[in-house]
Amino acid sequence: MWRNSRSGWGLISILFHWLSALTIIGLFALGWWMTGLGYYDPWYNQGPWIHRSIGILLLIATLGRLVWRFIQPTPKAEGRRLETIAAHIGHISLYVLVLVVMASGYLISTANGRGVSVFGWFEVPALLHDLPNQARLAGEVHWYSALALMILAAGHALAAFKHHWIDRHKTLVRMLHPGYSRRNASKY
């Protein structure tokens, strides 16, 4: 139930997936909202601090998720060959975009040479800073890669719904029920 099998996702992979999805959507919404804040708004400093802190925690979780993904079996994909290839490319693209968004966010936050405080619990040092136009360029990469991530994630969700409702595959069910296997498919 905790670990993946060739026929279903384990609870750890499912939790990584859904917590990451909710966090990414929340960070996107918070980031978009922050761009409209004025200097005298009470959230002018608080919003970015929360955004950065959650972003660093998501980075740590994503690295853990990638390690877990490499040491666990991946359930066999359902669908035609072209669909499984597209799904594989889509998943790789999602991971790459998540990492680009987080790396560019880190570069924005550390452009002034100060580290990133994570809710006051610990600080991530500024390893790379004072590059020419670092904050501006990283900001553009951050915004456009986050937007691309949201679009690709929406496509990912639509594909899951298509597999579930049109193709009648158990792709979505496997991401909702830990330990799902074809042997107990009649339960779902």
Side-chain angles (χ1 to χ4, degrees):
M1 182 157 159
W2 293 95
R3 301 172 61 112
N4 299 346
S5 69
R6 289 297 291 154
S7 60
W9 297 102
L11 183 60
I12 293 173
S13 293
I14 291 171
L15 287 174
F16 270 135
H17 177 271
W18 292 111
L19 289 174
S20 295
L22 291 173
T23 303
I24 289 166
I25 292 167
L27 284 171
F28 183 79
L30 177 59
W32 195 339
W33 176 71
M34 288 179 343
T35 61
L37 294 176
Y39 182 76
Y40 295 106
D41 192 296
W43 280 92
Y44 184 77
N45 290 312
Q46 190 72 12
W49 181 70
I50 291 170
H51 187 85
R52 287 188 298 266
S53 294
I54 293 173
I56 294 292
L57 293 177
L58 179 62
L59 173 60
I60 294 166
T62 300
L63 296 176
R65 182 180 182 180
L66 287 170
V67 168
W68 185 254
R69 179 86 190 234
F70 285 121
I71 64 173
Q72 287 292 297
T74 300
K76 185 175 179 343
E78 296 184 69
R80 294 184 295 270
R81 177 148 172 78
L82 188 57
E83 288 176 326
T84 60
I85 291 169
H88 185 69
I89 292 169
H91 285 112
I92 290 171
S93 299
L94 284 168
Y95 281 117
V96 168
L97 281 170
V98 166
L99 292 171
V100 167
V101 169
M102 290 187 285
S104 59
Y106 170 81
L107 290 173
I108 296 166
S109 301
T110 59
N112 60 6
R114 289 188 302 226
V116 179
S117 170
V118 179
F119 293 119
W121 302 334
F122 62 93
E123 185 170 299
V124 178
L127 301 174
L128 190 60
H129 55 86
D130 295 327
L131 298 173
N133 298 314
Q134 179 175 336
R136 185 183 61 76
L137 292 173
E140 288 184 24
V141 169
H142 191 66
W143 168 248
Y144 288 112
S145 58
L147 196 55
L149 177 60
M150 289 296 102
I151 292 167
L152 188 58
H156 175 71
L158 289 173
F161 292 141
K162 179 234 182 230
H163 282 296
H164 186 73
W165 284 313
I166 295 173
D167 300 335
R168 301 285 189 214
H169 294 160
K170 298 300 179 189
T171 304
L172 184 59
V173 173
R174 292 190 312 184
M175 190 46 76
L176 293 171
H177 296 283
Y180 171 86
S181 69
R182 286 184 174 79
R183 286 190 309 266
N184 59 10
S186 61
K187 295 179 188 177
Y188 305 104

